[in-house]
Amino acid sequence: MTEPDPMENNLRRAMTDAARGYQPSPAPVQDILDAGRTLRARRRVATAAAGTVLMACLGTATAWLSGSPGGNHAPEHPATSAASPSREAVVSQVVGSGMVDGRSWSVTAEFHPTLPAGYRVPAKPGETGEMPVDKSLLCRRIVIDGVRTDHEAGLWSRCRVVDGTGDPTGQSSAELAGDNDKGLPGIRIYVGHPGLRVAYAVITLDTGRRLTAPVRTLLGTRYSTFAIPLGKGQTIATVDHYDERGRRLARDTSWR
């Protein structure tokens, strides 16, 4: 058996003693945590800065597209609300249209906030026909087969001078208009101007047949109109007005 080398034994003991005496330093946990917080803070600052730049760019683009101050396409005039007619704008609305006895018909209500240039009211005895400039004009255009009824009387036939958008004289009236072939042989259009509470009207013919039409109110005004066509030979027994709940408000029997 070979004797161990004394120098080798001494070297082993020295290495063992050195290993036992070594104490590793603690891990730098706090430093790691501090570095992480610093990194997160830098990321937040960078994100906020990027968001600010993006919002600024979006705001600039929106201003340019919408024509707001600073943009290249700012509107020269503010937009006008369509809730009511201006003092210059003419309001026109189709009240009813369709076919009867193979012929086309339509009725259009028309409101002029101011009297049209050159308009003169038909003079009554003792009057000149001149009207104050603050009056308005309410018209109804009744057309059969593309021809306006009473067109021979001029552009302003079937027009009435009214006081603004809510003159009571512009309501509670009616007429039965025909084409050049007057009377029962031709078609006729019943046009009514009921009160604001009326939602629809019903004409009952002498035969018992009922014809119904909704009431249309001109935008921005208190003027309501309905139109019901009558075919050849049809005669009216009654005209009834109803509210939106179906309650009858009025009956007219004068069109027999």
Side-chain angles (χ1 to χ4, degrees):
M1 181 173 180
T2 305
E3 292 292 332
D5 186 356
M7 291 184 64
E8 183 179 346
N9 289 336
N10 292 335
L11 180 60
R12 286 181 177 177
R13 282 195 297 269
M15 292 180 63
T16 301
D17 292 342
R20 290 175 178 172
Y22 175 74
Q23 296 292 329
S25 60
V29 176
Q30 188 61 43
D31 293 340
I32 295 174
L33 293 177
D34 292 342
R37 294 192 186 97
T38 301
L39 181 59
R40 287 194 295 272
R42 289 176 180 173
R43 287 176 177 172
R44 284 196 295 268
V45 171
T47 302
T52 302
V53 172
L54 177 60
M55 292 301 294
C57 293
L58 289 176
T60 302
T62 302
W64 186 84
L65 290 174
S66 62
S68 59
N72 294 329
H73 300 277
E76 295 181 1
H77 304 286
T80 301
S81 172
S84 61
S86 68
R87 287 297 298 170
E88 295 81 18
V90 177
V91 180
S92 180
Q93 179 179 351
V94 175
V95 175
S97 64
M99 300 288 294
V100 57
D101 287 353
R103 305 177 66 186
S104 64
W105 68 274
S106 69
V107 174
T108 302
E110 189 176 281
F111 177 74
H112 298 255
T114 59
L115 294 181
Y119 177 79
R120 292 292 182 271
V121 179
K124 296 179 181 179
E127 296 181 356
T128 62
E130 299 291 339
M131 292 296 296
V133 296
D134 60 345
K135 295 294 183 179
S136 303
L137 197 65
L138 182 64
C139 304
R140 48 189 176 273
R141 309 297 190 183
I142 304 172
V143 178
I144 298 175
D145 274 349
V147 178
R148 181 171 58 86
T149 61
D150 286 350
H151 63 277
E152 302 93 340
L155 178 61
W156 306 113
S157 63
R158 287 199 162 87
C159 292
R160 173 185 297 184
V161 175
V162 292
D163 187 8
T165 59
D167 190 340
T169 63
Q171 296 299 105
S172 301
S173 62
E175 68 171 314
L176 193 58
D179 55 6
N180 291 330
D181 187 10
K182 303 293 184 181
L184 294 181
I187 70 171
R188 294 164 296 158
I189 313 297
Y190 183 97
V191 182
H193 303 278
L196 286 176
R197 294 177 57 200
V198 180
Y200 65 95
V202 177
I203 286 181
T204 302
L205 302 177
D206 284 331
T207 60
R209 182 182 176 187
R210 291 162 60 89
L211 308 174
T212 304
V215 173
R216 310 292 189 190
T217 300
L218 267 173
L219 180 67
T221 76
R222 297 173 62 85
Y223 301 123
S224 300
T225 310
F226 70 89
I228 298 178
L230 299 178
K232 183 184 300 184
Q234 292 180 334
T235 54
I236 298 173
T238 61
V239 181
D240 296 311
H241 296 172
Y242 294 87
D243 66 12
E244 59 183 7
R245 296 184 178 181
R247 296 176 298 192
R248 191 173 70 189
L249 303 177
R251 164 165 285 188
D252 186 358
T253 58
S254 61
W255 298 94
R256 288 182 173 274

